[in-house]
Amino acid sequence: MLTNAPRGTKDIYGSYMNTWKKLEDTVNEICTNFGFNEIRTPIFEHTELFQRGVGETTDIVQKEMYSFTDKGDRNITLKPEGTAGVVRAYLERKMYADVQPTKLFYITPAFRYERPQAGRYRQFHQFGVELFGSDKPSADAEVIALAANMLKNLGITNVELHINSLGGPECRKKYNNTLKEFLSKNIDSLCPTCLERYEKNPLRILDCKNEKCREVLKDAPLAKDELDTECKEHFEELLRLLDAMEIEYTVDPWIVRGLDYYTRTVFEFISKDIGAQGTVCGGGRYDKLIEECGGSPTPAVGFGAGIERLIMTMEAINGSNQDKPTRDIYLGYVGENAKKTTFAIVNELRKNNISVETDLMSRSVKAQMKYANKIGARYSAIIGDNELEENSVRIKNMETREQIDLNIEEIVKYMKENKNFLD
């Protein structure tokens, strides 16, 4: 076991890391353009935060959390999702006292004990955005537009936006009663998990994947039929804003999401490129969560997306990223005197933001040139005793095979002048 990673974890390196960094750069750029600021919360929180924030009837809290008692006899949990920790920070840091709305985003590791499968790990990474302080449909529209732009810029275009409204607390209370009355006629057909949900949160039964439960639910009443006038107007205004932004959508009454804290708007972006488990991004409005966590009533809306799931979708569309690493120049050497000169020049190149490698393995000239090609160096040069004596070095363009002779002290200047062309 010493040399095996724990089940459900993944080492991130090489070409996969290159894809990961491109994704992060895209996310950072889009969030900045939308006026969202980054937040980083601790990797663990008090267990009660997730019990109250995520919901005690969710699979996450009931089955999947990594929880433990620390040396101070405190109940601690590795965070299974990002929203609850951001809500805690919003309250503790009194962000509500700033000009509203508060717009935050994050990329964070998260942990859930579940069966590993394609795009789903026990340690995974979540990108999410949270917008606090606005109960307007325009806030929902902004968050959905950000998600749509992110997916488009990542090349994930073969997706459908499915959207629904669960209504506010009174609507949900009425719907829960209607749903319970319907389910009571077939209660013996429900799975053990749904029997428990029947008492605590019947809405969660709609999210069950058990075939018998799905059969019972096929004629179930829908949440949209219990919406009051205010919730209907909120949802209709949101749809008008999506129409204005030309964001296509499908109103899907079966979208309920897997967390207890959602109210009114819920949505998922579903990819057609990764099979049955096609949701690549999902979220909605959670106007009661901050109050549930001890704050004043504060409207909020957001979404989350698994980084590994996004990359899996990108690879399903474009194939794995096999781009080899690139360097601006490989500067090799032969002999001890040339080694000192080369290391001095390499250090100066790096100070000027030129990516450069040199020999660390005592390779022959032929082996050094093979290495330069393998790492994708755009230029290469070798400094030896002759080059030192003549104060001249031949720099080779590895793509065009063109060569140019320079004085050794001109290498840094030449590479700086050509840096724009390399980029």
Side-chain angles (χ1 to χ4, degrees):
M1 296 180 67
L2 181 64
T3 56
N4 292 327
R7 187 167 186 248
T9 64
K10 181 181 179 70
D11 297 312
I12 302 166
Y13 68 100
S15 60
Y16 192 85
M17 174 61 81
N18 294 337
T19 302
W20 189 290
K21 290 168 69 175
K22 289 177 183 177
L23 187 153
E24 284 192 339
D25 290 343
T26 299
V27 163
N28 275 275
E29 181 178 11
I30 289 173
C31 288
T32 299
N33 291 342
F34 274 74
F36 283 73
N37 297 312
E38 186 175 9
I39 184 170
R40 301 184 184 187
T41 60
I43 205 168
F44 57 85
E45 301 272 4
H46 295 291
T47 300
E48 183 185 7
L49 175 66
F50 301 115
Q51 290 173 335
R52 297 179 64 180
V54 177
E56 292 193 21
T57 66
T58 62
D59 288 345
I60 293 174
V61 171
Q62 290 185 343
K63 304 175 184 178
E64 298 171 2
M65 293 202 309
Y66 280 90
S67 300
F68 59 94
T69 302
D70 71 5
K71 293 182 179 180
D73 204 32
R74 292 171 285 258
N75 292 322
I76 299 296
T77 294
L78 300 179
K79 58 183 172 184
E81 56 90 51
T83 299
V86 177
V87 167
R88 190 267 311 147
Y90 176 80
L91 292 172
E92 184 177 1
R93 307 306 169 190
K94 297 181 173 58
M95 297 182 196
Y96 49 79
D98 299 332
V99 176
Q100 297 301 298
T102 298
K103 301 162 73 174
L104 302 169
F105 81 95
Y106 52 85
I107 296 176
T108 182
F111 305 84
R112 296 183 191 176
Y113 189 85
E114 56 183 339
R115 183 173 65 85
Q117 53 186 289
R120 181 176 292 176
Y121 298 90
R122 290 177 175 172
Q123 176 180 325
F124 61 100
H125 297 76
Q126 188 178 76
F127 159 59
V129 305
E130 317 293 350
L131 190 156
F132 302 113
S134 174
D135 63 356
K136 307 303 180 186
S138 53
D140 306 41
E142 170 133 324
V143 165
I144 292 172
L146 191 156
N149 275 265
M150 172 198 70
L151 295 172
K152 180 181 178 182
N153 286 16
L154 292 175
I156 303 174
T157 56
N158 192 20
V159 292
E160 291 182 351
L161 168 59
H162 287 229
I163 189 167
N164 188 26
S165 177
L166 302 177
E170 291 304 314
C171 302
R172 288 188 63 161
K173 184 177 179 180
K174 285 176 61 180
Y175 178 58
N176 279 338
N177 291 335
T178 302
L179 185 59
K180 285 184 72 173
E181 183 179 351
F182 169 82
L183 292 170
S184 66
K185 301 169 186 176
N186 294 281
I187 195 166
D188 293 338
S189 298
L190 298 178
C191 70
T193 300
C194 285
L195 285 173
E196 184 176 349
R197 290 171 174 170
Y198 178 84
E199 296 297 336
K200 294 183 177 180
N201 188 357
L203 186 65
R204 289 280 294 115
I205 296 175
L206 298 178
D207 202 38
C208 184
K209 302 302 186 287
N210 182 285
E211 289 186 11
K212 289 185 178 181
C213 294
R214 300 304 301 171
E215 182 65 23
V216 170
L217 290 167
K218 66 180 183 180
D219 296 317
L222 302 174
K224 67 182 182 65
D225 298 325
E226 301 289 354
L227 297 183
D228 59 26
T229 301
E230 186 178 352
C231 289
K232 283 181 181 178
E233 290 177 351
H234 183 280
F235 192 54
E236 289 167 359
E237 173 64 11
L238 169 59
L239 299 184
R240 285 193 290 271
L241 290 171
L242 295 179
D243 290 335
M245 292 186 287
E246 298 183 342
I247 297 175
E248 296 183 358
Y249 57 84
T250 297
V251 176
D252 184 346
W254 294 101
I255 296 293
V256 296
R257 303 292 297 151
L259 305 176
D260 285 357
Y261 51 58
Y262 287 112
T263 55
R264 288 190 172 176
T265 305
V266 287
F267 65 89
E268 294 181 357
F269 282 88
I270 301 173
S271 170
K272 301 177 183 178
D273 295 308
I274 55 173
Q277 300 294 324
T279 300
V280 293
C281 172
R285 178 164 285 282
Y286 50 95
D287 292 343
K288 295 297 179 181
L289 180 56
I290 292 177
E291 185 177 2
E292 182 67 27
C293 291
S296 300
T298 304
V301 60
F303 73 80
I307 299 295
E308 289 85 354
R309 178 63 62 90
L310 289 173
I311 292 177
M312 184 180 76
T313 308
M314 293 162 66
E315 291 181 342
I317 298 168
N318 302 312
S320 298
N321 183 1
Q322 298 298 329
D323 291 343
K324 59 185 178 182
T326 55
R327 307 291 183 269
D328 294 331
I329 183 171
Y330 176 83
L331 191 60
Y333 59 88
V334 179
E336 287 302 311
N337 290 332
K339 181 178 182 179
K340 295 176 184 177
T341 300
T342 299
F343 268 75
I345 297 171
V346 164
N347 193 48
E348 195 63 28
L349 286 166
R350 289 169 175 163
K351 288 180 181 178
N352 284 276
N353 201 32
I354 306 295
S355 62
V356 54
E357 283 201 47
T358 189
D359 180 45
L360 305 177
M361 303 293 290
S362 299
R363 292 183 170 100
S364 67
V365 172
K366 183 177 180 180
Q368 288 188 60
M369 294 308 294
K370 283 184 177 180
Y371 180 73
N373 186 63
K374 188 171 183 178
I375 64 173
R378 284 139 171 173
Y379 288 86
S380 65
I382 301 290
I383 297 176
D385 290 340
N386 291 338
E387 285 74 17
L388 289 177
E389 185 175 339
E390 298 174 8
N391 191 29
S392 178
V393 64
R394 180 162 293 174
I395 292 183
K396 180 179 181 179
N397 185 312
M398 297 291 280
E399 182 178 355
T400 66
R401 319 309 284 179
E402 294 176 354
Q403 300 182 112
I404 184 173
D405 292 329
L406 298 172
N407 291 338
I408 290 176
E409 61 268 18
E410 293 178 325
I411 294 174
V412 175
K413 179 183 177 183
Y414 178 80
M415 292 305 300
K416 285 173 63 178
E417 291 173 348
N418 283 273
K419 176 68 175 173
N420 290 336
F421 295 103
L422 295 174
D423 293 339

